[in-house]
Amino acid sequence: MSIVYSKKDRIWKLDTPHSSYLMAAVDEEGFLGHVYYGNKVDDLGIDYLTRAYAHPFVPSENARERCSFMDLFPAEYPGFGLGDYRTPAFCVRTASGSRGCGLFYRSHKIYAGKPGIPGMPATFAGEDEADTLEILCEDPENRLEVTLYYTAFRNMDVITRSVSFRNKGNEMITLEKVMSLSVDLEDPGYETIGLFGSWARERHICRNPLGMGSYRIGSFRGESSHQEHPFLALCTKGADSDHGQVYGFHFLYSGNFVAEAHRSQFESVRVTMGISPEGFSWGLMPGETFSLPEAAMVYSSEGIGGMSRTFHRLYRKHLIRSPYRDTPRPVLINNWEATYFDFNTEKLIDIAREAAASGIEMLVMDDGWFGARSYDDKALGDWIANEEKLPGGLPVLSERIHELGLKFGIWMEPEMISPDSDLYRAHPDWAIAIPGRTPAMSRCQYVLDITRREVLEYVYGCVRNVLSSTRIEYLKWDMNRQLTDVFSLGLTAEHQGEFYHRYVLAVYELQERLVTDFPDLLLENCSGGGARFDPGMLYYSPQIWCSDDTDAIERLSIQEGTAMVYPLSCMGAHVSDCPNHAVGRNTPFQTRGHVALAGTFGYELDITRIPQEDRRRIPDQIALYHSFGDLIRRGDYYRVANYSENGLYDCWAVIAEDKSEALVTYVQVLGQPNYKARLLILKGLDPDGIYEISATSEEDHFEPVMVRSGGRKEPEALRLSGRTLMNAGILADRMWGDFRSKLYHLKRVEL
Ligand code: DGJ
């Protein structure tokens, strides 16, 4: 059991392999306080740490200074308005309008395993993998019962958190702010790490010193968003990929969120994470329970890389449920960048024929196949194939694709409605809108109010009909706009504040039904690129489209940021045509392939029109994917160099869990004149293992005589020990030109 309780000291200790988390109930009233979180410690009786804060002011000994106690005490789940002036974890409003709230410990239980959260994604673990602590607290004046859930994983440094609220009174209590996580840490001068971006520039790493006051990130766009990501890390100054202490906090939720680090007067920092309170309230009726989404905490004393690998393992083994999680995904070709809306059956068949001849395994038909959808301003909601484009509809197309030996995938955007659609003409009131106010359009579309049962049933019926109408092996579920003008005709005035969360619950319900009814379907979530790339969606789909920017160089930063928390196995990445549609850049086909290999791998181009020499390379790229796919899906990820920091080159490695094999990807972003070969100091290998190193051959290209390497021995001839590779490193030869890349495969050999 990784959780122990000392009755004498009223202290709990949660252990993971390398970290400990301690809490204590303090004073007669049972204030629940945070004691310690960090490197593993042996002793249980260290609640003096918490008492250090409380000491001169413990209320039972010093009633006149209760406020000082409240404002010093590292409360485990702090309320509002009773003297703790730091960021509260929760605020409620009672029927009388009062807002003061605070919790006291009442009881707890500890058990093996991990409970789920009703209607929401959550990590899962068996009784031999994790232990759970439930601490029941009470706010007696408000007749509110709050249960804090902690699960400590036995074989990884993860503690998950969640909270539930129960109204034990006779009147409605309005929850105004409810965080899933709150933790007070001593602050040695932390820095924050977050993932920020925009459409086509998602999840770029951003690091800042944590100053006094609050550092706050969040989204109230109705989804986790392109712009800010529900992830926040605190790290010690100077922490890098391999060194330093890092606390990573990630919210397993797909809607509005906030994450805040509040550094206050006594050099302590309170981290809170949960549903964004902006626009949120929840009317909790007598007897009702409200469960919060899960938040995961990862502690690493091996730098950012250690944190990343732990998140990767957590999500690969304890979050993604799809049967595709561990199996090869079919190499797909998607027609979006190939044709946009301008296609018909014959065009798709041409692409499919050529794709099949090159070894591609699935054709995905993207946006534009239904209703009168000739452009993005119409027909969302009319999920019937357009027979002018696709004579005989989906069954004929699917059959013809399958005859070519390919699987067939399809795109839908089920949550949306175009004003110019049959659905809107029939049900204008199904679009989200505030009565009397014209709702704002985005991409010329509105959002369906799926919090209403009849709308949700219609939406699910459409998805089910499409998928049941013919053989479809893959669905790309898109969402191309963020929420505005929220209001539901299905909610009374006092419950309107529930809308955003109910919307997310409806998305989860739709996706749960989908994966239950179509268990073999390969589902890829997407939101105008990567705006709903979050752990919530990962519970339903084993892969998520990373970004609409498919340029290999832009993708280096996007994929580096994404891989800070997510395993490569879930990052939707495709080889596209050049000049790239997002940035107009020309990159070698080989580099595009190597970068897409660090994700799900596929194509997004008109294979009938790309240059012959690119087409000829596809079978070899697919062979690479098949030989390294397993390693990439399951291996441990190590950052060797960061283009986002050095501005010149990028390098990462994926290493098998048993260290028997590694794949190193090196990208020379900018060529430099008169420069030596680059030294790559590898990581994560078996120091005593002997590795045979082979390198991919370079793409043919013109190389003037003056820069040739003069026949220096390529590393493929080398056999070196892991210790040598991790200390002396290998040389990546200078390549002539920009945007060039190379793969190094390392295989441990038996001697
Ligand atoms: C946004 C997606 O990210 C694209 O890949 C494509 O599916 C378009 N939507 C289609 O509208």
Side-chain angles (χ1 to χ4, degrees):
M1 189 62 74
S2 52
I3 303 177
V4 288
Y5 174 64
S6 156
K7 201 167 172 192
K8 180 168 79 53
D9 300 319
R10 292 203 297 172
I11 189 160
W12 296 264
K13 181 165 182 275
L14 290 75
D15 281 327
T16 68
H18 307 100
S19 74
S20 298
Y21 187 100
L22 284 91
M23 288 168 276
V26 170
D27 211 22
E28 291 153 7
E29 290 175 80
F31 297 97
L32 190 63
H34 181 74
V35 176
Y36 172 83
Y37 184 30
N39 276 322
K40 197 161 185 167
V41 292
D42 303 319
D43 296 299
L44 196 59
I46 57 168
D47 53 331
Y48 58 85
L49 295 175
T50 298
R51 290 186 203 284
Y53 285 91
H55 174 61
F57 306 115
V58 177
S60 62
E61 294 163 19
N62 187 353
R64 49 166 277 139
E65 290 302 344
R66 191 179 177 96
C67 283
S68 301
F69 168 80
M70 295 299 287
D71 207 20
L72 263 172
F73 186 67
E76 185 62 25
Y77 197 72
F80 172 79
L82 304 181
D84 182 341
Y85 297 105
R86 292 157 292 177
T87 304
F90 79 106
C91 302
V92 302
R93 192 178 73 242
T94 63
S96 72
S98 75
R99 285 192 163 85
C101 54
L103 296 181
F104 301 98
Y105 165 67
R106 291 294 180 255
S107 65
H108 73 272
K109 53 183 177 190
I110 297 173
Y111 51 90
K114 181 175 192 299
I117 305 179
M120 269 185 283
T123 54
F124 46 83
E127 293 190 356
D128 54 343
E129 295 173 311
D131 303 296
T132 296
L133 163 66
E134 289 183 18
I135 303 188
L136 181 73
C137 299
E138 195 188 8
D139 177 347
E141 283 79 8
N142 289 332
R143 306 198 61 193
L144 191 61
E145 216 173 65
V146 179
T147 307
L148 309 178
Y149 297 83
Y150 300 80
T151 296
F153 282 70
R154 291 189 195 169
N155 60 357
M156 54 182 85
D157 294 311
V158 176
I159 295 174
T160 58
R161 310 265 304 255
S162 168
V163 181
S164 71
F165 284 78
R166 200 165 104 79
N167 181 349
K168 290 184 65 188
N170 303 320
E171 289 174 301
M172 184 173 94
I173 297 177
T174 305
L175 309 179
E176 295 190 324
K177 177 180 184 183
V178 281
M179 295 290 100
S180 293
L181 171 157
S182 175
V183 60
D184 280 19
L185 299 169
E186 280 285 308
D187 184 9
Y190 286 121
E191 296 179 348
T192 61
I193 305 176
L195 300 171
F196 295 84
S198 180
W199 172 77
R201 283 189 281 118
E202 295 88 341
R203 291 174 300 286
H204 285 234
I205 297 166
C206 180
R207 189 161 165 171
N208 291 303
L210 179 63
M212 291 304 290
S214 268
Y215 176 73
R216 190 172 193 268
I217 58 176
S219 157
F220 39 95
R221 296 166 183 269
E223 59 176 357
S224 42
S225 90
H226 305 94
Q227 288 76 7
E228 306 197 15
H229 189 78
F231 166 75
L232 174 67
L234 295 185
C235 64
T236 44
K237 253 190 211 129
D240 60 18
S241 297
D242 311 300
H243 310 98
Q245 298 184 331
V246 186
Y247 297 87
F249 304 98
H250 209 189
F251 194 32
L252 284 75
Y253 189 63
S254 310
N256 293 352
F257 74 90
V258 66
E260 187 172 343
H262 182 188
R263 187 169 199 263
S264 55
Q265 52 184 336
F266 302 113
E267 270 122 38
S268 70
V269 54
R270 173 171 293 167
V271 178
T272 48
M273 180 175 258
I275 294 175
S276 171
E278 258 101 7
F280 170 86
S281 63
W282 193 274
L284 195 63
M285 304 309 284
E288 278 184 357
T289 298
F290 181 72
S291 299
L292 301 188
E294 181 167 299
M297 311 192 293
V298 167
Y299 173 75
S300 161
S301 58
E302 291 178 359
I304 298 160
M307 175 201 69
S308 303
R309 286 186 289 281
T310 304
F311 271 119
H312 294 184
R313 278 209 193 122
L314 176 70
Y315 293 159
R316 275 201 321 254
K317 298 189 176 159
H318 299 280
L319 180 66
I320 302 173
R321 300 174 296 169
S322 162
Y324 276 100
R325 177 181 72 173
D326 297 321
T327 56
R329 321 266 163 89
V331 176
L332 65 81
I333 185 159
N334 178 304
N335 74 309
W336 178 241
E337 288 194 23
T339 64
Y340 295 102
F341 296 99
D342 185 16
F343 63 87
N344 57 24
T345 297
E346 292 318 313
K347 179 68 209 168
L348 295 176
I349 294 295
D350 282 350
I351 293 177
R353 192 178 297 112
E354 191 62 40
S358 299
I360 291 172
E361 297 154 335
M362 177 159 76
L363 178 114
V364 175
M365 176 172 63
D366 211 280
D367 193 355
W369 59 267
F370 50 91
R373 185 84 166 165
S374 52
Y375 200 59
D376 67 3
D377 56 352
K378 35 180 92 57
L380 288 169
D382 302 342
W383 298 108
I384 311 254
N386 178 324
E387 296 240 3
E388 274 170 38
K389 285 183 174 179
L390 311 176
L394 297 178
V396 169
L397 176 64
S398 162
E399 200 181 319
R400 290 187 63 189
I401 301 280
H402 283 104
E403 273 166 12
L404 291 169
L406 296 187
K407 293 181 185 325
F408 177 52
I410 201 165
W411 174 98
M412 291 183 81
E413 196 179 359
E415 300 155 65
M416 298 292 151
I417 181 167
S418 305
D420 182 0
S421 66
D422 292 341
L423 183 63
Y424 190 80
R425 284 181 278 277
H427 297 286
D429 63 305
W430 282 11
I432 298 173
I434 300 171
R437 184 183 282 273
T438 307
M441 277 204 287
S442 177
R443 209 196 193 204
C444 206
Q445 64 198 56
Y446 296 137
V447 187
L448 284 164
D449 181 359
I450 52 175
T451 69
R452 286 165 64 184
R453 186 49 47 187
E454 69 274 29
V455 182
L456 182 139
E457 291 302 335
Y458 173 83
V459 165
Y460 188 67
C462 292
V463 178
R464 191 185 45 220
N465 288 346
V466 167
L467 294 178
S468 319
S469 67
T470 185
R471 228 172 115 196
I472 295 176
E473 280 99 353
Y474 161 108
L475 174 68
K476 177 173 172 188
W477 180 304
D478 204 348
M479 189 230 191
N480 279 300
R481 66 155 291 176
Q482 302 177 328
L483 270 52
T484 59
D485 303 276
V486 305
F487 182 89
S488 178
L489 296 174
L491 293 171
T492 58
E494 59 190 359
H495 291 282
Q496 287 296 335
E498 300 168 13
F499 184 88
Y500 282 110
H501 182 57
R502 285 188 183 276
Y503 185 88
V504 179
L505 292 179
V507 172
Y508 290 154
E509 180 182 333
L510 287 167
Q511 298 236 331
E512 186 65 41
R513 286 169 73 174
L514 176 66
V515 298
T516 308
D517 291 349
F518 301 93
D520 298 326
L521 183 79
L522 172 55
L523 177 63
E524 176 154 359
N525 273 298
C526 169
S527 178
R532 213 152 53 178
F533 203 120
D534 58 60
M537 299 314 279
L538 218 48
Y539 187 61
Y540 305 97
S541 66
Q543 59 195 59
I544 305 177
W545 184 229
C546 229
S547 175
D548 277 347
D549 194 337
T550 53
D551 171 68
I553 303 307
E554 287 292 304
R555 277 293 183 122
L556 294 178
S557 308
I558 296 171
Q559 294 181 190
E560 182 195 351
T562 307
M564 182 171 276
V565 230
Y566 296 95
L568 305 189
S569 65
C570 71
M571 299 189 337
H574 296 166
V575 175
S576 62
D577 200 6
C578 278
N580 177 267
H581 293 199
V583 287
R585 184 179 285 131
N586 286 301
T587 51
F589 201 69
Q590 174 164 289
T591 305
R592 285 177 258 161
H594 289 169
V595 174
L597 212 53
T600 55
F601 193 76
Y603 292 87
E604 178 120 2
L605 40 74
D606 185 346
I607 192 171
T608 66
R609 297 177 63 176
I610 58 171
Q612 275 299 337
E613 62 268 30
D614 289 353
R615 220 184 294 180
R616 274 203 307 274
R617 290 182 204 283
I618 292 179
D620 284 348
Q621 280 187 342
I622 293 175
L624 276 183
Y625 165 75
H626 284 307
S627 33
F628 299 133
D630 261 359
L631 175 61
I632 292 166
R633 261 190 308 280
R634 297 165 197 227
D636 284 331
Y637 170 85
Y638 286 82
R639 263 281 140 196
V640 179
N642 311 53
Y643 161 61
S644 57
E645 283 169 18
N646 64 40
L648 288 169
Y649 67 104
D650 214 29
C651 185
W652 63 90
V654 185
I655 298 178
E657 222 174 320
D658 67 0
K659 316 257 181 220
S660 60
E661 200 185 356
L663 184 71
V664 180
T665 308
Y666 171 70
V667 182
Q668 172 184 289
V669 178
L670 293 180
Q672 279 176 291
N674 187 24
Y675 197 74
K676 61 181 173 57
R678 261 182 219 296
L679 196 57
L680 304 175
I681 308 285
L682 303 185
K683 301 172 177 178
L685 299 168
D686 166 9
D688 298 319
I690 301 295
Y691 291 89
E692 193 160 85
I693 307 162
S694 53
T696 50
S697 58
E698 283 187 53
E699 196 168 66
D700 322 319
H701 70 292
F702 169 74
E703 191 171 275
V705 174
M706 59 177 275
V707 299
R708 286 202 186 135
S709 55
R712 198 185 62 79
K713 221 171 159 199
E714 277 291 329
E716 54 258 54
L718 292 180
R719 275 185 172 198
L720 293 170
S721 78
R723 191 169 286 106
T724 303
L725 291 164
M726 292 191 291
N727 288 292
I730 58 169
L731 283 185
D733 266 341
R734 182 163 74 91
M735 295 176 272
W736 195 70
D738 294 337
F739 319 133
R740 308 286 308 281
S741 67
K742 208 159 194 180
L743 296 181
Y744 298 91
H745 182 226
L746 282 65
K747 184 101 191 125
R748 191 170 53 194
V749 288
E750 303 301 330
L751 294 176

